[in-house]
Amino acid sequence: MIRRQFLSLALSTCFVMAGGLNGASAQMADSIDEPVTISFYNYNLASAGLGREATLELIAAFEEANPMVTVEPIAVPSNEVLSRVQADMVAGQDVGVAQLVFRDLIYAAEQLGAQPLEDVAGEELAAHAEGFVPNGLALGEVNGKTYGLAYVFSTPVMFINRDLFREAGLDPDQPPRTWEEVKQAGIAIAENTGKHGFFPGAYGPIDGTFVYQSIVMSNGGKVREGNRLTFADQDQADAVAMLRDLMDSGAHARIDVAAHMDTFQSGNLGMFLFTSAVLSRFEQAAEGNFELGLAAMPSFGDKPTAPTNSGSAIFMFSEDPAKQRASWELMKFLTSNEAYTTITSKIGYLPLRPEAIESERYLKGWLEENPKFQANIEQLDRLTANVAFPGPNYRQVENMMKEAVTEAVFGDGDPYEVLRTAQETAQPLMPAGH
């Protein structure tokens, strides 16, 4: 692990010193006239079960429809894709398409040589964008150009153990709508069942930054403004102090931050705020053990929630005209109505094309049979972009923020002071004048 982190840092430094890999590339080919092979770096392939199976199904369907194109699937965990892409590019390999999480967006655009789709695909991008959710495509833009095409993502939803609700004397058909109601329900579950009340997937080794940012933004805060860090400002710190209050009251589970999903799957947690991408996994775990429910994320009183996106976009890196055409065709296919029918029904991510939701040909029937998924879809209207950090130290800054939030909630110190100290320490790592 240490060697891998060192390699990542060394490569990152190398790219920055070289000014990144952005450069002019030849015009994308108009058509595919000869057999071509492109690579596809994908973290769903690295997961066990339905995520991998559904992605392989999509690749097979694309190759059948595009017999001149062979897709080489490269399975890499989400937190290692960027490093793998960097390493392979330095080794001289052509990277076709890569699925990257949104926190890598600015780095991929400014330092890694991701292709701006307006320059590569031109009017074809505009035509493909028709029918996308209005605020979906904007998530992949940097300085007005689209580097990441929104692919698979979700918003934070509240998973409910309906059996624990009943055992605690609560009505599972009336799940908490506000953080104050979460506190009351969490205490009731802990005191009446001996199980854990509530936990947000906002901490730990599995990336939960989107959950943390959703909570902060729902209270009117934001983790940065330009190159100035703001995660210790009043609204943001108040949101973290709310989580600390849940912890001190007993409503918030004090468990290993790496064990939150296992705790919920085993039936020992009443409420879990996390991505709907784990819905199929939880449904399998709950079958025969407890009744699973789903609700929208809670709000701060009457303030509307600001659910941010988890998940990823797909980026084109190849500068070869024929491979760019093959990559673009793959990107279009993966973000089509047909693809989202598979992605939503078999993995649990949001369909980013409303037609896929409304049409009998695609997801309408499936959604009628799975009404709990509506909680996730209804939050699309308030989707707020997960804020990525700029500069070569972006992951270090993000980690310092995440560690401070964890300490503020789980520790004994003043949460406001913990966040303020971390922010002052991290600020010098941000680029000047961004």
Side-chain angles (χ1 to χ4, degrees):
M1 178 61 74
I2 292 175
R3 183 178 182 281
R4 183 178 298 159
Q5 291 174 340
F6 174 78
L7 175 62
S8 175
L9 178 61
L11 288 170
S12 175
T13 303
C14 174
F15 272 62
V16 172
M17 292 178 66
L21 292 181
N22 275 317
S25 59
Q27 184 176 1
M28 179 174 73
D30 293 333
S31 59
I32 301 171
D33 303 319
E34 297 180 355
V36 59
T37 298
I38 57 172
S39 55
F40 181 28
Y41 296 69
N42 184 286
Y43 65 72
N44 294 122
L45 287 170
S47 64
L50 293 174
R52 174 180 174 81
E53 294 168 11
T55 304
L56 289 173
E57 180 181 324
L58 290 171
I59 292 173
F62 171 77
E63 289 180 327
E64 183 177 0
N66 298 269
M68 300 287 278
V69 181
T70 299
V71 177
E72 178 190 7
I74 300 177
V76 195
S78 61
N79 60 347
E80 298 178 13
V81 175
L82 188 85
S83 298
R84 175 66 183 274
V85 168
Q86 283 181 317
D88 286 355
M89 292 171 79
V90 170
Q93 298 182 34
D94 188 276
V95 175
V97 179
Q99 176 194 21
L100 300 176
V101 295
F102 283 98
R103 70 180 179 193
D104 296 328
L105 170 65
I106 298 175
Y107 188 83
E110 296 185 346
Q111 303 293 337
L112 199 56
Q115 298 291 313
L117 298 181
E118 283 83 355
D119 294 353
V120 176
E123 294 180 357
E124 291 187 39
L125 173 63
H128 184 63
E130 292 183 7
F132 245 76
V133 292
N135 48 0
L137 285 175
L139 299 176
E141 293 182 359
V142 177
N143 298 326
K145 289 197 174 182
T146 306
Y147 289 86
L149 184 61
Y151 174 40
V152 292
F153 64 73
S154 176
T155 59
V157 292
M158 186 78 96
F159 293 96
I160 302 288
N161 183 325
R162 291 171 60 89
D163 289 344
L164 282 184
F165 264 63
R166 296 187 188 95
E167 192 177 338
L170 303 169
D171 182 357
D173 291 326
Q174 300 294 327
R177 296 166 300 174
T178 66
W179 287 110
E180 182 57 34
E181 291 177 358
V182 169
K183 180 178 181 180
Q184 296 170 9
I187 292 173
I189 292 170
E191 291 183 348
N192 297 331
T193 72
K195 304 292 179 65
H196 301 292
F198 164 75
F199 198 88
Y203 339 97
I206 299 176
D207 182 31
T209 306
F210 78 103
V211 176
Y212 160 66
Q213 290 204 26
S214 293
I215 296 172
V216 163
M217 290 185 187
S218 295
N219 199 38
K222 208 169 184 180
V223 297
R224 72 170 172 89
E225 294 286 350
N227 70 333
R228 186 177 72 85
L229 295 174
T230 60
F231 61 81
D233 287 5
Q234 190 66 46
D235 290 338
Q236 297 84 316
D238 283 347
V240 175
M242 179 277 295
L243 294 173
R244 171 65 173 273
D245 178 59
L246 294 183
M247 177 69 79
D248 292 342
S249 72
H252 188 305
R254 186 178 290 278
I255 58 175
D256 183 343
V257 295
H260 48 41
M261 285 201 288
D262 290 341
T263 304
F264 186 80
Q265 289 178 143
S266 64
N268 292 309
L269 177 62
M271 297 171 283
F272 181 46
L273 186 66
F274 204 43
T275 170
S276 69
V278 297
L279 175 60
S280 60
R281 173 176 171 172
F282 282 177
E283 285 181 325
Q284 289 180 340
E287 189 173 356
N289 296 313
F290 62 89
E291 186 181 359
L292 179 67
L294 212 59
M297 71 172 293
S299 66
F300 288 85
D302 296 331
K303 295 180 182 179
T305 58
T308 67
N309 57 288
S310 66
S312 62
I314 41 182
F315 297 74
M316 177 194 298
F317 288 96
S318 180
E319 298 181 1
D320 178 273
K323 291 188 176 183
Q324 283 189 337
R325 168 54 66 182
S327 297
W328 174 237
E329 295 301 326
L330 176 63
M331 295 169 79
K332 287 194 297 182
F333 177 82
L334 292 173
T335 51
S336 65
N337 285 324
E338 289 79 4
Y340 281 123
T341 302
T342 298
I343 289 168
T344 299
S345 63
K346 296 189 176 180
I347 305 179
Y349 288 113
L350 281 165
L352 302 185
R353 291 185 177 274
E355 183 183 355
I357 300 171
E358 299 159 358
S359 172
E360 294 282 2
R361 179 181 175 185
Y362 302 117
L363 284 167
K364 185 176 181 180
W366 180 84
L367 287 169
E368 289 172 352
E369 295 175 0
N370 297 272
K372 65 169 75 74
F373 199 80
Q374 286 290 346
N376 199 19
I377 291 178
E378 289 169 3
Q379 293 186 146
L380 261 179
D381 292 339
R382 300 189 304 283
L383 181 67
T384 306
N386 192 343
V387 177
F389 293 98
N393 301 309
Y394 73 108
R395 286 203 172 187
Q396 187 176 353
V397 172
E398 185 186 67
N399 286 336
M400 293 172 72
M401 178 187 73
K402 290 166 60 179
E403 290 171 1
V405 171
T406 305
E407 181 183 348
V409 176
F410 286 77
D412 297 326
D414 176 29
Y416 294 90
E417 183 59 30
V418 170
L419 294 172
R420 186 162 45 249
T421 300
Q423 181 170 295
E424 291 174 355
T425 304
Q427 183 60 55
L429 297 175
M430 293 284 284
H434 191 280

